[in-house]
């Protein structure tokens, strides 16, 4: 465990070489009989993941630069009009006045303080973004009070002298950087966030640019020639210098030189943000979504895989990216559906919406200047919209199962999205499967990840499997198959031996949670099935310590192959 810059080399021989520029050298050997047990051991060390609010498992829409609140509302309305399952709407930095934190554009985003109410009326939620960099310039109509109050608190990362704030440049222009490891800075951050919430109601916070990012090399002054900025060894990184696109390595934070704590910047921001959210959302869970991460951050936050692009390469890489972050204890994970950069083709976005419906964090997000890619933007009769609705409805049907997986992650350290290898580790054919993935033990997702393709090669692990949509039992096992997945289809299979809790879907989780619940039961080779459900109000913080949740274990051996059972949830009791 080391927060300093390092380079790790995997060798052809069974060996690995670590080269690091400093810090502690703490090594942990984690032993387990199965891959899942190794993850459990790791999460005992770094902390088990937070359980997110139920609503955060719904589908989400975002883009950088809608341009105005009216355009945001047009996006919301066109997706509402087609009954798209859709829980959360974001605004990116364009909602701010000149991209300054804790402000909003009172011209283009006039009415933003009431936007959350507009969403809440239809059971939807609102998430906004904050970046760490704080502009030094004034606001249009007067002083930038957030900057002034931070300066009074000595809240900023300093130059090597420990006194002078380090100045760089990010979205708002010339800017300083909060030192979240400084208790005074944390107090300032919490206070500014409370002020923001009083002005603009919202439901959760998205934090970005916290690697920490700087558009300049180090600072507006450059960086001194010393062993911190130019150490004897530099890993193979951008521009070959440690301070490229970030801060000078000899700059100071309370925890130490930036040289030693650069990799902890986002983690420290998450800790400060967690305290701010707990101040504002007293008894309720909220959500933090962070770009920068470090082992242990999953105790407090989710993560997305950063600025991808609308191409077939990036839709493929999203799967191993998600699986890796599951191993790191960050199960609330996903990639920007349909790609962040570049205009997306209908075919790519259609295939991405299909697989993205099964990302734990399921958000369609794209960048400035590119054409809209929300599902309704492709037309009310489009194949993309219809297949998006179809698989999002399946997602919402299965949300009780997904939520139970997050409960298991929170309490035992189980993975949520899971490599096929984790369930079938004795089968070496599963070790390299990275274009399919599981939800827990029981749901196998097989997407199409190449253009112009309807037949794909997929692996059927050694178990009984049923097609989710046709209920047909698969006749092969433990072998590669050619799977037919036409333009509107995704491969979705339930493992024999499963009892999956389900609920009739609706356009938001607020409404779906009011609907009847049920069970999908599939039998294994021994005509047995088992499953679990965790159910609480989905929102309260600390509910797990109040015995208000209900965990139900059911064993079934009475179905011929696959059956659906109805059940009724009354209060905290589940009657099956």
């Amino acid at each position: 465990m080391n927060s300093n810059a390092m380079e790790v080399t995997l060798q052809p021989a069974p060996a690995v070489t670590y080269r690091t520029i400093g810090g502690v050298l703490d090594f942990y050997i984690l032993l387990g009989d199965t891959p899942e047990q190794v993850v459990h051991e790791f999460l005992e060390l770094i902390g088990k993941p937070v359980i997110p609010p139920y609503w955060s498992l719904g589908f989400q829409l975002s883009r950088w630069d809608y341009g105005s609140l009216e355009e945001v509302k047009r996006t919301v309305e066109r997706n509402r009009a087609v009954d798209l399952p859709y829980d959360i709407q974001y605004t990116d930095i364009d909602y701010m006045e000149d991209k300054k934190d804790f402000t909003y554009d009172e011209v283009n985003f006039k009415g933003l303080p009431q936007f959350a109410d507009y969403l809440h009326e239809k059971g939807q939620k609102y998430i906004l973004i904050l970046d760490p960099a704080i502009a030094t310039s004034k606001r249009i109509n007067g002083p930038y009070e957030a900057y002034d109050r931070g300066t009074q608190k000595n809240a900023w990362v300093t130059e090597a002298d420990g006194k002078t704030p380090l100045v760089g440049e990010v979205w708002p222009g010339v800017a300083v950087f909060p030192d979240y490891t400084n208790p005074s800075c944390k107090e300032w951050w919490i206070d500014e966030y409370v002020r923001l919430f009083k002005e603009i109601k919202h439901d959760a916070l998205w934090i970005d640019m916290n690697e920490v990012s700087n558009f300049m090399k180090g600072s507006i002054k450059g960086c001194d020639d010393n062993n911190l900025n130019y150490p004897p060894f530099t890993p193979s990184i951008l521009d070959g210098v440690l301070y490229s696109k970030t801060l000078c390595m000899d700059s100071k934070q309370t925890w130490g030189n930036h040289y030693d704590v650069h990799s902890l910047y986002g983690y420290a921001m998450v800790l400060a943000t967690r305290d701010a959210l707990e101040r504002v959302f007293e008894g309720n869970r909220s959500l933090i979504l962070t770009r920068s991460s470090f082992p242990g951050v999953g105790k407090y936050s989710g993560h997305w895989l950063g600025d991808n692009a609308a191409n077939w390469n990036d839709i493929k890489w999203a799967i191993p990216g998600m699986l890796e972050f599951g191993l790191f204890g960050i199960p609330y994970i996903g990639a920007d559906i349909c790609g962040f950069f570049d205009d997306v083709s209908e075919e790519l976005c259609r295939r991405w919406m299909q697989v993205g419906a099964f990302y734990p964090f399921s958000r369609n997000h794209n960048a400035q200047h590119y054409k809209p890619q929300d599902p309704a933007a492709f037309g009310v009769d489009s194949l993309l919209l219809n297949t998006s609705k179809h698989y999002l409805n399946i997602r919402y049907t299965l949300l009780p199962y997904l939520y139970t997986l997050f409960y298991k992650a929170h309490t035992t350290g189980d993975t949520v999205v899971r490599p096929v290898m984790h369930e079938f580790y004795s089968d070496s054919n599963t070790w390299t499967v990275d274009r399919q993935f599981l939800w827990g033990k029981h749901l196998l997702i097989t997407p199409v990840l190449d253009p112009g393709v309807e037949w794909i090669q997929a692996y059927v692990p050694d178990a009984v499997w049923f097609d989710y949509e046709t209920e047909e039992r698969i006749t092969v096992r433990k072998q590669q198959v050619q799977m037919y997945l036409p333009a509107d289809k995704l491969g979705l299979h339930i493992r024999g031996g499963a009892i999956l809790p389900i609920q009739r879907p609706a356009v938001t989780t607020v409404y779906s949670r009011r609907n009847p619940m049920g069970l999908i039961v599939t039998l294994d080779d021994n005509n047995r099935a088992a499953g679990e459900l965790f159910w609480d109000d989905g929102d309260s913080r600390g509910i797990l310590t109040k015995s208000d949740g209900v965990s139900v274990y059911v064993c079934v051996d009475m179905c011929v192959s696959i059956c659906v059972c109805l059940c009724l949830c009354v209060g905290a009791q589940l009657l099956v």
Side-chain angles (χ1 to χ4, degrees), residues 30 35-36 38-50 267 293-301 303 305 320-333 409 413-417 419 422:
L30 307 174
E36 280 290 293
V38 174
V39 175
H40 291 175
E41 293 288 337
F42 183 47
L43 301 193
E44 286 292 331
L45 176 67
I46 66 169
K48 297 185 185 74
V50 65
Y267 184 81
S293 61
F294 193 78
V297 77
K299 289 171 61 178
Y300 316 105
S301 176
H303 174 73
L305 293 173
M322 286 195 305
L323 297 178
E324 287 172 354
F325 272 88
L327 306 185
F328 306 152
I330 308 175
Y332 190 76
I333 180 69
D414 282 3
T415 55
V416 175
V417 283
H422 277 220

Side-chain angles (χ1 to χ4, degrees), residues 49-119:
V50 65
I51 184 168
Y54 194 92
W55 54 261
S56 71
L57 302 182
F59 179 64
Q60 311 176 28
L61 281 180
S62 177
R63 76 166 297 158
W64 170 25
D65 200 4
Y66 283 104
S68 70
L69 185 60
E70 289 308 308
E71 181 60 28
V72 179
K73 287 184 174 181
R74 278 192 287 271
T75 302
V76 173
E77 290 296 337
R78 69 172 171 249
N79 286 279
R80 283 178 176 175
V82 296
D83 291 328
L84 184 79
Y86 161 39
D87 264 80
I88 301 167
Q89 178 62 51
Y90 288 73
T91 54
D92 207 322
I93 54 175
D94 47 302
Y95 82 85
M96 302 175 186
E97 178 192 299
D98 292 334
K99 304 180 179 65
K100 290 181 170 68
D101 276 357
F102 310 115
T103 70
Y104 76 97
D105 183 338
E106 298 181 21
V107 176
N108 293 317
F109 282 80
K110 182 181 179 181
L112 190 64
Q114 292 78 45
F115 182 59
D117 293 334
Y118 157 82
L119 291 172

